[in-house]
Amino acid sequence: MFTAGCYGQASLDLQGGPPDDGNPDPPPIQQDGSLRCDLGSVPADITLQTVAADFARVVHPAMVRESSGCISCHGTTQGRLFTVSSNGLESFYALRAAGFLTPESGSLLSRLVTTDESARMPRGAAPWSEREIANVASLTCQLAAVEARQPLSRPDEEFPQALLEPYGGPAIATYDNPFLGYLQLKGKVKAVFNDDWVRGGVDRFSQSVGLFGGVDYQNHFVEARVATADFFLGLDDLSRDVCLTAATARTGPFAGLDLAQPMVDVPAPVTVQYEMEQAALSSGTVPPGTPILASTGGRTSTGWNLWTNGTLTTANPYTFPASSTFRFTVKARGDLCGPALPNMQLRVDGVMVREWGVSNGTAYADFTHTQALTEGDHIISVAFTNDYNESGVCDRNLHVDALVVHGPTEAATGTQRADAAKAKVDSLYRRMLYRPATETERANGYALVKDLHGIEADLPKAWSGLCEGLMRSPDFLFTLPPSYEAHSGTERERLLLVKLAQDLLGRPPSAEDFTALERGQKSWEDMVDGYLASQDFHTYYFERMRVRTESEGTADTDEPARLWTHLMREGKPLSELLTAEYAVDAAFQAVPRATEHGKTGVLTMKGFIKNKPGLPHYNYAARVMTDFMGTLYEIPSEVFDMRGAATAASTVDPTSLCFSCHQTLTPLAHQRLRWDDEGNYRTENVEGQPMDDSDRGLVATYAFKGQGMEAFATQAVKKEMFVRRTLNAQFALLFGREMRHALDERGVYKRLWDVSEESNGNLKAVLKAVATSPEYLRR
């Protein structure tokens, strides 16, 4: 009965489960790994649901166990093409969709029983027990019988049943916000500064394309996936140049701003008087709080007598509250002796700013000087410089009673200058980051410009420094300004619109766009529709598809990207990516092409075939499966060792390691044979024999059987993998990554699948669904 495919029929439980016999007979596996099943003997009450439930109950526990299980190699963190879920039903449907639960060679069962250690699973571990293998065999035949009795859509052509199960894994909390790409950075600089960064006829962006991780189709063909240290080296040059240029010319974000206006307000005047009788000799013990230090002389009842050359200096710097003019008054008298008057100097930071001859010998007089000083701390001193003595006759000395500092002498301005400067800071935030500055940001921005001006007295250059800082802000460098998290209502929608425009147009929104959304003239859907219909979108989409198809910048290698763009513009089915019977010219219009192409879309375009050799190394077939079917290949070290000497015959030999792993690549490579490596059509091989471009029946489970590339294309477009891969190209345009379709975004995937079904594969409808989704709108 086991051989019949329903082993244990008499002992089936109410769920129609597999046998519970601890010592079953070995399953009738053929030498090629296929399983003989008598489908007619499987009970009629066995359904897809009962097989799935039995698999989850009986087989799945063995797959997820730590020892001799599958999950150690096929867990969600292992990077394998197929992953084993912790959910039994999910794993069953995923295995079924992947074709691993069939009675054919290459199935899960054949991997469990093979004696080839390079293909046996679990690799490097003890084999499963006879009972466990029998369970897999029984359920495999039951599933084959169910599918034969009630033909359903092929499991690889329907939305994966596994993904209809709710996600039960851990929450995924990653920072999901793409960094600006090269084209987006160019678009943002053009929008903010009206500057294309061309200097002296040299395009500095093109010169820096490598630093910014862009593509120029000459030396750089692959985009950087993340921001690198080189990006910030390029940003140093870019920000310094465009900011200073704009600040000097008062263009871009500085348009209409008077950068020459003083920034520091003039405070109300203050008078501070230093009494010299409170001074102390600096060479002795200085009492705490002493305001003046004397280098020579001694205290008197009314002040300090400098009886030799020396200074009276403020013990601590005097803090001048603003860059302004201040009045200094020294109360002094002199002891006259000799032909010259006592010489008194007023010094600031050790530099003389005024000197007097002190003629009054008996009464103190005021000696006044007005001096312009910069804001901040300065040391003030009074100096006696020409001591003189005639023994027994006279002695020239300088007596100082007080030093008075008064100012600023200009009219007080309150806070009007600072307020005006902070308003300019806010303007820069709004024009460069598309949001107002917070109170702290206004204060910090003002302080930065003021400090830079203190270092170099060049106000436009100081303002340029703030601009450079804003270009390094996350709100400038990410497609979605991260500060959106702190906003709500209109401000939040404004920042989301920044992301939408950069995702679809490669540049920020225009002022008219902001106005239309904020005043309710257009809804979010209206904005999406308008962008998708714009020429800017078509231009940017084409550039993104050039990167997606790895164009080399030639007319031929651009054609696959032109087809993508044509399908988007015209609302044609996404299936025509592989089945279009036409070419697309430089104007993105469909034009006839030779009949030998048939329904092959990009697959037989010169620009796609070029640089993708056929046999023996499968480059073309592997790229087709990776680019359009989402298949990734793990190449073991032994394959690298043998590839150098591989021949066409050895790679397609059914006993070879290549063939055992790549049963899709070999028949696909044969189907492409009528197209040489330059994309030219041919009907004979080099020996003059007719081409056999069929799949040659090499693989019984090959899903794309038939003659030539049209047979492959017309069947490939029905596959869930093709639909998912194409939907992901649209999703990635707005999210900067592919969907986590098997994890927490399976609901997103189902919605996009349904939109694609309902719209007959309209790519624009898919993009709109992404742009209006709760996930994109962060709701």
Side-chain angles (χ1 to χ4, degrees):
M1 293 184 69
F2 180 85
T3 303
C6 52
Y7 180 90
Q9 179 178 349
S11 61
L12 289 175
D13 63 22
L14 294 178
Q15 292 183 326
D20 197 26
D21 186 344
N23 298 292
D25 294 330
I29 302 293
Q30 306 303 300
Q31 185 175 2
D32 64 355
S34 62
L35 172 67
R36 294 200 313 270
C37 295
D38 182 358
L39 304 184
S41 64
V42 175
D45 60 348
I46 298 295
T47 66
L48 180 64
Q49 290 70 32
T50 62
V51 176
D54 286 338
F55 181 93
R57 178 173 57 85
V58 178
V59 177
H60 187 256
M63 298 183 73
V64 296
R65 67 189 173 198
E66 184 175 347
S67 176
S68 295
C70 305
I71 203 162
S72 60
C73 290
H74 292 275
T76 56
T77 61
Q78 302 303 315
R80 297 295 183 92
L81 179 61
F82 181 80
T83 59
V84 175
S85 167
S86 59
N87 182 304
L89 291 176
E90 188 175 320
S91 292
F92 167 79
Y93 285 118
L95 283 164
R96 175 176 176 255
F100 294 142
L101 290 180
T102 69
E104 309 295 339
S105 175
S107 68
L108 171 63
L109 181 63
S110 68
R111 292 299 183 101
L112 290 172
V113 300
T114 182
T115 58
D116 182 356
E117 287 301 314
S118 68
R120 184 181 70 82
M121 295 183 181
R123 182 173 294 180
W128 283 18
S129 70
E130 291 181 352
R131 176 188 175 189
E132 291 167 338
I133 293 173
N135 288 341
V136 176
S138 177
L139 288 171
T140 298
C141 285
Q142 289 181 25
L143 177 60
V146 169
E147 292 179 339
R149 278 200 306 259
Q150 301 173 350
L152 306 171
S153 60
R154 294 179 55 125
D156 61 350
E157 296 179 2
E158 62 185 19
F159 188 83
Q161 294 289 320
L163 302 186
L164 295 176
E165 295 291 316
Y167 174 65
I172 298 176
T174 58
Y175 188 69
D176 201 9
N177 190 357
F179 206 76
L180 282 183
Y182 172 70
L183 293 177
Q184 291 168 323
L185 179 64
K186 286 184 67 175
K188 195 160 197 176
V189 169
K190 180 65 175 177
V192 171
F193 295 91
N194 192 27
D195 191 340
D196 53 12
W197 205 25
V198 173
R199 301 291 185 265
V202 176
D203 187 333
R204 294 295 311 281
F205 266 120
S206 294
Q207 277 189 335
S208 306
V209 63
L211 295 177
F212 293 125
V215 172
D216 61 4
Y217 309 106
Q218 296 176 10
N219 300 306
H220 303 275
F221 297 91
V222 181
E223 275 190 331
R225 296 186 179 182
V226 296
T228 64
D230 286 345
F231 182 98
F232 293 98
L233 288 176
L235 190 64
D236 285 345
D237 287 340
L238 170 65
S239 61
R240 188 181 305 114
D241 194 343
V242 299
C243 283
L244 186 57
T245 299
T248 302
R250 291 172 57 192
T251 57
F254 298 103
L257 302 182
D258 185 355
L259 305 185
Q261 289 181 337
M263 295 183 60
V264 180
D265 283 296
V266 178
V270 174
T271 301
V272 175
Q273 182 162 319
Y274 293 93
E275 296 291 348
M276 296 306 166
E277 60 266 27
Q278 297 176 359
L281 282 170
S282 58
S283 59
T285 301
V286 178
T290 298
I292 296 292
L293 297 178
S295 63
T296 61
R299 185 181 295 109
T300 68
S301 60
T302 57
W304 192 272
N305 179 13
L306 291 172
W307 55 61
T308 61
N309 288 348
T311 58
L312 292 162
T313 304
T314 54
N316 297 301
Y318 182 90
T319 301
F320 291 81
S323 296
S324 184
T325 56
F326 294 83
R327 185 168 65 248
F328 298 88
T329 301
V330 183
K331 296 180 181 297
R333 68 179 180 83
D335 292 334
L336 306 181
C337 185
L341 297 175
N343 188 65
M344 179 176 70
Q345 293 182 351
L346 175 67
R347 298 176 181 176
V348 177
D349 297 327
V351 178
M352 183 191 73
V353 296
R354 181 64 189 274
E355 64 180 348
W356 298 270
V358 181
S359 60
N360 51 311
T362 58
Y364 287 103
D366 290 344
F367 296 84
T368 301
H369 172 67
T370 300
Q371 177 73 32
L373 291 172
T374 58
E375 175 188 4
D377 292 343
H378 297 280
I379 297 293
I380 310 167
S381 58
V382 177
F384 174 44
T385 64
N386 62 340
D387 183 36
Y388 179 79
N389 176 269
E390 292 182 9
S391 181
V393 178
C394 62
D395 185 12
R396 185 187 301 162
N397 300 314
L398 178 67
H399 298 263
V400 182
D401 175 29
L403 168 65
V404 181
V405 182
H406 174 82
T409 61
E410 300 173 50
T413 61
T415 62
Q416 65 184 32
R417 292 181 180 177
D419 291 344
K422 290 177 182 179
K424 293 186 183 73
V425 172
D426 188 69
S427 293
L428 288 180
Y429 269 78
R430 290 177 183 273
R431 295 174 180 182
M432 296 181 66
L433 307 185
Y434 303 100
R435 65 171 179 83
T438 65
E439 184 176 346
T440 299
E441 287 169 337
R442 286 193 295 272
N444 289 342
Y446 169 72
L448 174 62
V449 177
K450 189 172 64 170
D451 289 347
L452 290 174
H453 186 241
I455 295 171
E456 183 177 351
D458 186 330
L459 272 171
K461 195 170 185 179
W463 281 104
S464 174
L466 174 60
C467 171
E468 290 183 48
L470 294 184
M471 286 187 69
R472 291 166 174 78
S473 164
D475 277 0
F476 190 91
L477 295 175
F478 286 88
T479 55
L480 174 64
S483 62
Y484 86 97
E485 296 175 354
H487 291 85
S488 60
T490 300
E491 289 295 346
R492 185 179 177 90
E493 281 198 336
R494 182 183 180 89
L495 296 179
L496 285 170
L497 187 63
V498 171
K499 174 172 173 55
L500 180 70
Q502 292 187 154
D503 288 340
L504 294 183
L505 310 180
R507 61 162 175 81
S510 66
E512 293 76 17
D513 292 339
F514 285 124
T515 299
L517 184 65
E518 292 168 6
R519 293 183 179 177
Q521 298 167 351
K522 290 184 179 180
S523 67
W524 182 263
E525 286 198 9
D526 292 335
M527 299 303 301
V528 174
D529 288 337
Y531 284 169
L532 292 177
S534 69
Q535 183 58 47
D536 281 355
F537 167 69
H538 296 151
T539 301
Y540 184 62
Y541 188 84
F542 173 60
E543 291 299 329
R544 300 310 303 144
M545 292 306 105
R546 292 178 88 191
V547 174
R548 170 71 172 75
T549 56
E550 296 187 12
S551 172
E552 296 178 357
T554 66
D556 281 346
T557 58
D558 275 350
E559 189 177 9
R562 295 200 301 270
L563 176 56
W564 275 92
T565 308
H566 173 77
L567 298 181
M568 172 66 72
R569 291 179 61 168
E570 304 300 325
K572 292 182 176 180
L574 58 84
S575 59
E576 291 189 13
L577 189 61
L578 301 189
T579 63
E581 298 181 79
Y582 49 84
V584 178
D585 64 16
F588 300 95
Q589 299 299 312
V591 294
R593 65 174 176 172
T595 57
E596 60 262 21
H597 289 275
K599 297 179 179 180
T600 58
V602 302
L603 299 177
T604 58
M605 289 179 175
K606 279 182 177 288
F608 181 74
I609 294 177
K610 193 173 181 180
N611 297 326
K612 301 180 182 68
L615 297 172
H617 294 318
Y618 297 110
N619 298 56
Y620 174 86
R623 283 293 303 276
V624 169
M625 295 304 295
T626 297
D627 287 358
F628 301 110
M629 308 303 288
T631 303
L632 302 178
Y633 297 98
E634 179 184 358
I635 304 179
S637 58
E638 54 266 32
V639 172
F640 280 110
D641 294 339
M642 64 169 286
R643 281 186 68 173
T647 65
S650 67
T651 57
V652 299
D653 184 344
T655 64
S656 73
L657 180 60
C658 296
F659 188 81
S660 68
C661 290
H662 299 316
Q663 295 190 24
T664 298
L665 300 185
T666 300
L668 174 54
H670 283 304
Q671 287 174 305
R672 172 240 155 124
L673 283 177
R674 286 186 183 268
W675 303 90
D676 67 18
D677 290 347
E678 295 300 314
N680 300 307
Y681 183 73
R682 58 191 179 181
T683 58
E684 297 179 345
N685 61 21
V686 291
E687 288 82 20
Q689 299 298 316
M691 286 284 186
D692 179 5
D693 63 341
S694 71
D695 66 290
R696 304 188 184 183
L698 289 172
V699 180
T701 58
Y702 184 56
F704 316 100
K705 293 182 175 67
Q707 191 81 27
M709 291 306 300
E710 181 171 317
F712 172 85
T714 54
Q715 296 173 88
V717 294
K718 302 175 184 177
K719 304 303 181 185
E720 179 269 337
M721 286 197 302
F722 168 76
V723 176
R724 176 175 12 114
R725 185 71 170 155
T726 310
L727 295 180
N728 258 323
Q730 316 312 305
F731 184 90
L733 197 69
L734 277 75
F735 277 85
R737 60 169 176 82
E738 294 194 349
M739 284 181 287
R740 297 188 290 265
H741 72 280
L743 302 174
D744 60 325
E745 290 176 340
R746 54 187 64 187
V748 179
Y749 179 29
K750 182 62 167 67
R751 293 200 304 273
L752 297 185
W753 175 280
D754 291 343
V755 168
S756 177
E757 290 283 300
E758 294 163 4
S759 66
N760 192 29
N762 187 317
L763 293 175
K764 192 171 290 188
V766 171
L767 262 182
K768 181 176 179 179
V770 177
T772 56
S773 68
E775 291 78 12
Y776 188 80
L777 296 174
R778 268 68 174 176
R779 291 175 181 166

